[in-house]
């Protein structure tokens, strides 16, 4: 099979973990290169389909179909015109073209996108007498053009809807995390299903749902469709086989103990609905996963069942403009949350994602690690606090990837 060049897009800060995911799918290590906000890799279309189905961290998988130097939008037209689009789709599809750029000297990127569309249409008109039409909302085929100072790359977006949309989210709680960022928090924290997990600020339940699906080995893309299904050149029988294998690999009986709660009973109801839609009904029924109404200042950890190690608290508490309560009351609340953690969670590790750099001082805890991550455009820190009985203010020096 020929090797194609792919680019997996992910939230900033998760590139190395995404590279590990792609390697675990069998990619050639010499061809996997983490960058900023994504990972370049190469392989056959089967590898790309596997990445769409199994990657918990990627937002999109893009396949590069052209890459060349340009000077102006005429060159962009020529590059798009000479690309063999007919290898991947026919004249009767609907299209959409998205652009991104770093240091692009063109006056108008929108105009360049229009020229790419014209080039594709002209090519098909010449080849088939018919041309694709544009549909910005629900296109069959999405094309991404990325411009640098002197090069343009044209990609086919293999995902369609962003990959963090797993297909289960019905309603939105207050400021839900994207599912791939929630998966990133779980991987960064080194959570394993043998550790109880508590999210006392669960909102729509993203962290708990993602963790439960990791525990039962539920492939993130199992319940959704992908743009590559509208393209030629993607082996349908191999795809059917991949889906069957992924379904067979789900272990609904996996041992796990996940406790999620939120102060709002309305939000908890929504989280329960989401978990049910995410195929976790059995775990809810037998108590391996629960969502309850509760105040994070008072939530106590579950009893440790035999064979379980001390657990993890992973949460994104309300912060900044996202939340209704005024910041001062959030700060005082986080002081009380910390007091509760110190009293009841000795031996646990608590990880908190916040855009508020003063969170450790509000909690009067020294983080043993902090990782810079982006929650959408919001720069955040993912703080780790190692809970010991009483205060751990003077704990060991903080490990950090932060430039501060
Ligand atoms: C940033 S949101 C969490 C979003 C969640 N991670 C998700 O993906 O949907 C913060 C949540 O904290 C909840 N909250 C605020 N104060 C609380 C408290 N004292 N105890 C528990 N939950 C609280 C809010 O109701 C809100 O759902």
């Amino acid at each position: 099979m020929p090797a194609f060049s792919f680019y997996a897009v992910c939230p900033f800060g998760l590139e190395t973990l995404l590279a590990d995911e792609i390697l675990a799918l069998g990619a050639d290590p010499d061809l996997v290169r983490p960058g900023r906000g994504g990972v370049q890799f190469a392989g056959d279309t089967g590898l790309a389909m596997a990445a769409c189905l199994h990657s918990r961290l990627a937002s999109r998988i893009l396949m590069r179909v052209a890459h060349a130097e340009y000077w102006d939008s005429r060159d962009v037209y020529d590059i798009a015109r000479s690309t063999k689009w007919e290898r991947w789709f026919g004249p009767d599809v609907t299209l959409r073209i998205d652009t991104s750029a770093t240091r692009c000297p063109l006056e108008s990127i929108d105009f360049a996108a229009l020229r790419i569309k014209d080039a594709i249409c002209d090519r098909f008109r010449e080849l088939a007498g018919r041309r694709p039409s544009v549909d910005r909302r629900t296109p069959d085929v999405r094309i991404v053009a990325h411009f640098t100072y002197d090069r343009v790359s044209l990609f086919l977006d293999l995902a369609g809807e962003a990959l963090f949309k797993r297909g289960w989210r019905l309603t939105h709680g207050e400021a839900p995390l994207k599912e791939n960022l929630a998966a990133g928090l779980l991987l960064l924290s080194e959570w394993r299903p043998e550790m109880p997990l508590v999210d006392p600020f669960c909102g729509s339940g993203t962290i708990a749902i993602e963790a439960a699906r990791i525990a039962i080995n539920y492939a993130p893309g199992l319940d959704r469709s992908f743009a590559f299904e509208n393209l030629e050149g993607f082996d349908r029988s191999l795809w059917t086989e991949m889906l069957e294998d992924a379904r067979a690999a789900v272990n609904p009986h996996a041992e796990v103990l996940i406790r999620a709660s939120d102060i709002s009973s309305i939000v908890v109801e929504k989280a329960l609905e989401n978990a049910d839609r995410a195929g976790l009904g059995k775990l809810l029924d037998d108590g391996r996963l629960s969502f309850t109404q509760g105040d994070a200042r008072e939530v106590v950890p579950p009893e440790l069942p035999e064979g379980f190690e001390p657990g993890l608290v992973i949460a994104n508490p309300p912060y900044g403009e996202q939340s209704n309560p005024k910041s001062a009351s959030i700060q005082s609340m986080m002081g009380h949350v910390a007091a509760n953690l110190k009293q009841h969670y000795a031996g646990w590790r608590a990880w908190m994602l916040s855009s508020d750099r003063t969170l450790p001082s509000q909690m009067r805890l020294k983080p043993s690690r902090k990782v810079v991550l982006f929650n959408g455009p919001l720069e955040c820190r993912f703080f780790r606090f190692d809970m010991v009985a009483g205060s751990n203010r003077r704990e060991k020096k903080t490990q950090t990837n932060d430039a501060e």
Side-chain angles (χ1 to χ4, degrees):
M1 278 291 256
F4 297 103
S5 178
F6 300 104
Y7 192 75
V9 183
C10 70
F12 289 109
L14 299 181
E15 298 87 348
T16 318
L17 288 170
L18 174 57
D20 291 344
E21 266 193 338
I22 292 168
L23 287 170
L25 294 173
D28 179 344
D30 292 337
L31 304 176
V32 176
R33 287 191 203 99
R36 206 173 139 62
V39 175
Q40 204 181 314
F41 65 104
D44 58 24
T45 50
L47 177 62
M49 291 194 288
C52 285
L53 177 59
H54 291 289
S55 173
R56 295 188 185 277
L57 301 175
S59 312
R60 299 198 166 274
I61 306 292
L62 306 175
M63 179 170 72
R64 199 168 77 183
V65 290
H67 179 63
E69 265 185 35
Y70 73 99
W71 180 252
D72 57 21
S73 54
R74 272 171 301 189
D75 296 336
V76 176
Y77 176 92
D78 290 342
I79 293 160
R81 176 85 190 238
S82 59
T83 301
K84 293 192 172 86
W85 301 102
E86 63 280 6
R87 181 169 178 187
W88 306 107
F89 57 88
D92 301 319
V93 299
T94 56
L95 285 182
R96 164 184 168 144
I97 297 170
D98 291 306
T99 52
S100 62
T102 29
R103 299 198 306 130
C104 169
L106 289 178
E107 229 167 80
S108 164
I109 293 185
D110 287 347
F111 181 67
L114 204 62
R115 295 305 285 149
I116 294 170
K117 189 267 297 169
D118 291 343
I120 297 171
C121 290
D122 290 350
R123 184 176 176 96
F124 275 105
R125 214 183 275 117
E126 193 178 284
L127 283 174
R130 301 191 310 283
R131 46 154 282 188
S133 51
V134 173
D135 178 350
R136 289 214 53 83
R137 252 173 38 82
T138 50
D140 301 319
V141 175
R142 292 172 195 239
I143 291 163
V144 178
H146 179 69
F147 297 89
T148 61
Y149 182 67
D150 58 356
R151 289 185 167 260
V152 58
S153 301
L154 300 177
F155 297 94
L156 285 168
D157 174 357
L158 304 184
E161 285 267 51
L163 294 178
F164 57 78
K165 296 189 181 167
R166 316 284 202 223
W168 53 257
R169 191 182 290 282
L170 247 193
T171 44
H172 296 272
E174 185 191 344
L177 282 182
K178 290 195 171 119
E179 290 74 349
N180 58 343
L181 183 56
L185 301 184
L186 289 158
L187 292 173
L188 281 166
S189 73
E190 296 177 359
W191 174 77
R192 284 175 287 107
E194 302 75 40
M195 303 169 174
L197 177 68
V198 172
D199 177 359
F201 293 99
C202 74
S204 63
T206 322
I207 296 171
I209 291 172
E210 201 61 33
R213 302 233 306 191
I214 290 173
I216 64 169
N217 202 26
Y218 201 109
L222 209 44
D223 302 325
R224 51 161 286 163
S225 57
F226 299 92
F228 70 74
E229 293 172 76
N230 296 324
L231 296 174
E232 286 149 33
F234 287 80
D235 184 337
R236 272 161 220 283
S237 57
L238 176 60
W239 177 235
T240 309
E241 220 175 279
M242 278 184 190
L243 287 173
E244 278 166 9
D245 288 351
R247 262 189 205 105
V250 177
N251 172 13
H253 308 292
E255 294 260 359
V256 66
L257 186 59
I258 301 171
R259 296 277 174 267
S261 52
D262 196 283
I263 199 149
S264 157
S265 53
I266 297 167
V267 163
V268 168
E269 277 306 309
K270 288 178 180 166
L272 276 165
E273 269 177 51
N274 283 335
D276 204 32
R277 285 172 53 84
L280 301 170
K282 203 166 160 14
L283 286 84
L284 290 171
D285 289 347
D286 61 25
R288 284 175 289 163
L289 168 66
S290 72
F291 291 92
T292 48
Q293 192 273 331
D295 189 326
R297 287 167 284 201
E298 292 163 5
V299 169
V300 292
E303 292 272 318
L304 278 193
E306 209 172 309
F308 274 76
E309 303 167 18
L312 294 186
V313 174
I314 303 182
N316 77 307
Y319 45 82
E321 324 66 52
Q322 292 175 334
S323 44
N324 286 329
K326 292 273 172 278
S327 290
S329 61
I330 292 178
Q331 289 180 13
S332 116
M333 174 183 79
M334 291 314 293
H336 288 107
V337 169
N340 184 51
L341 289 173
K342 286 173 207 168
Q343 190 180 350
H344 296 291
Y345 289 78
W348 285 53
R349 275 176 285 148
W351 287 84
M352 300 274 165
L353 180 74
S354 177
S355 64
D356 189 341
R357 291 179 190 208
T358 65
L359 184 76
S361 63
Q362 291 161 27
M363 296 179 74
R364 297 207 189 86
L365 287 170
K366 183 162 173 54
S368 54
R369 205 179 152 200
K370 56 184 166 177
V371 182
V372 178
L373 289 174
F374 281 78
N375 183 8
L378 205 60
E379 185 178 326
C380 293
R381 302 284 179 284
F382 191 36
F383 295 104
R384 183 177 89 185
F385 303 106
D386 299 329
M387 304 313 304
V388 294
S391 167
N392 65 352
R393 287 199 69 165
R394 283 168 295 279
E395 281 297 289
K396 54 191 173 293
K397 200 175 170 308
T398 312
Q399 296 170 23
T400 179
N401 70 346
D402 197 349
E404 292 171 298

